[in-house]
Amino acid sequence: MVQKITAKIGPSILNADLSQLHVESQRLLDSGADYLHLDVMDGHFVPNLTFGHPLVKCLRNKIKNAFFETHMMVSKPEQWIEAMANAGVNQYTYHVEPVEDVPLICRKVREAGMKVGIALKPGTPVDVVVNYIDQVDMILIMTVEPGFGGQEFMKPMLEKVAWLRKNYPTLDIEVDGGVGLNTIQFCAEAGANMIVSGTAVTGSSEPGRVMRSLKDAVTQVEEFFCF
Ligand code: DX5
Ligand code: ZN
């Protein structure tokens, strides 16, 4: 029997109709989303550009209560902490790769009143987190190269998830990239409990049903898979 960890589904609105961001986001929340995963890209850390804190603030003005996570795919995560906190972000998840002083940023994020997540690109080994584990609320294991929605799931990344789950039984572990009905079982059995899903949810005519299936897969895991 595995230790029970709370399953949460956070749809990514990256590939949704962004001209209808507020309506789309509310629809996902009404259909069962536990939180919103907002993909912030700077065109430098990743070869794509999305939106920043002004848009997040507008969304917050429309949606008062939902939990907002920003996935900061940016070269200078320290630069946007205050602005995102002011925009009403609840969790600031940033990539360790471009950062020299990870503990400093974790501290600043918490001082700004947000939860802190750290994210690892596919090429980043999982053991880099060992030194920071007591300073973070969540670890995001990317299952695609960050930058675009709709890419193919990278199954070998689940070794990192399984390693984290084995060593930190109660840690919040998020997966992001190519996660949908065909890949959720692998994620769940590796030990992921925070599930980001973009195109599989927003591209479906029944997003509520998809999110329920994703959540059930995580909730119903009886034993974690060991690599
Ligand atoms: C990719 C983003 C993901 C993406 C997920 O860089 O971080 O959040 O939107 O979309 P899918 O589920 O379509 O891979
Ligand atoms: Zn993301």
Side-chain angles (χ1 to χ4, degrees):
M1 207 41 198
V2 299
Q3 189 154 357
K4 279 298 168 201
I5 33 168
T6 313
K8 290 189 183 143
I9 307 301
S12 158
I13 45 75
L14 185 60
N15 279 13
D17 179 357
L18 292 178
S19 72
Q20 308 282 336
L21 181 60
H22 157 228
V23 176
E24 286 284 321
S25 300
Q26 193 60 58
R27 189 171 70 104
L28 291 166
L29 290 163
D30 293 343
S31 308
D34 295 295
Y35 64 105
L36 291 181
H37 176 91
L38 302 169
D39 287 302
V40 175
M41 304 186 189
D42 67 353
H44 188 258
F45 179 68
V46 289
N48 198 3
L49 198 58
T50 55
F51 49 79
H53 52 91
L55 183 136
V56 177
K57 191 168 193 170
C58 292
L59 189 62
R60 175 55 86 199
N61 283 336
K62 296 277 188 189
I63 299 177
K64 303 288 183 202
N65 293 322
F67 189 95
F68 285 4
E69 175 197 24
T70 46
H71 176 191
M72 303 300 296
M73 288 165 274
V74 301
S75 292
K76 294 184 177 172
E78 68 275 25
Q79 193 173 343
W80 312 110
I81 296 171
E82 279 305 320
M84 285 298 182
N86 290 335
V89 168
N90 303 98
Q91 178 168 318
Y92 193 88
T93 299
Y94 70 95
H95 277 266
V96 296
E97 291 85 5
V99 171
E100 269 179 32
D101 194 341
V102 172
L104 177 71
I105 297 190
C106 289
R107 204 179 68 235
K108 285 188 171 177
V109 170
R110 283 186 168 167
E111 281 171 3
M114 296 181 286
K115 285 188 160 191
V116 57
I118 54 175
L120 306 188
K121 286 168 74 165
T124 305
V126 68
D127 49 12
V128 303
V129 306
V130 169
N131 294 331
Y132 317 127
I133 205 84
D134 55 340
Q135 298 159 51
V136 302
D137 297 292
M138 191 208 79
I139 297 193
L140 163 55
I141 299 298
M142 289 303 297
T143 43
V144 297
E145 283 298 338
F148 300 91
Q151 301 183 77
E152 197 177 332
F153 182 72
M154 296 167 77
K155 198 172 171 190
M157 295 304 119
L158 295 180
E159 283 184 40
K160 298 189 202 180
V161 175
W163 184 88
L164 285 172
R165 181 54 69 219
K166 185 164 156 251
N167 288 286
Y168 310 104
T170 59
L171 178 71
D172 277 330
I173 305 172
E174 186 178 61
V175 282
D176 179 14
V179 180
L181 296 178
N182 295 331
T183 51
I184 186 62
Q185 197 60 33
F186 305 125
C187 300
E189 286 172 0
N193 67 304
M194 292 184 67
I195 307 299
V196 176
S197 183
T199 43
V201 171
T202 59
S204 166
S205 57
E206 294 181 284
R209 194 183 58 80
V210 174
M211 287 191 283
R212 233 174 355 265
S213 300
L214 296 175
K215 197 164 187 169
D216 287 348
V218 176
T219 309
Q220 288 163 10
V221 166
E222 291 296 331
E223 202 170 344
F224 293 131
F225 189 78
C226 277
F227 283 82

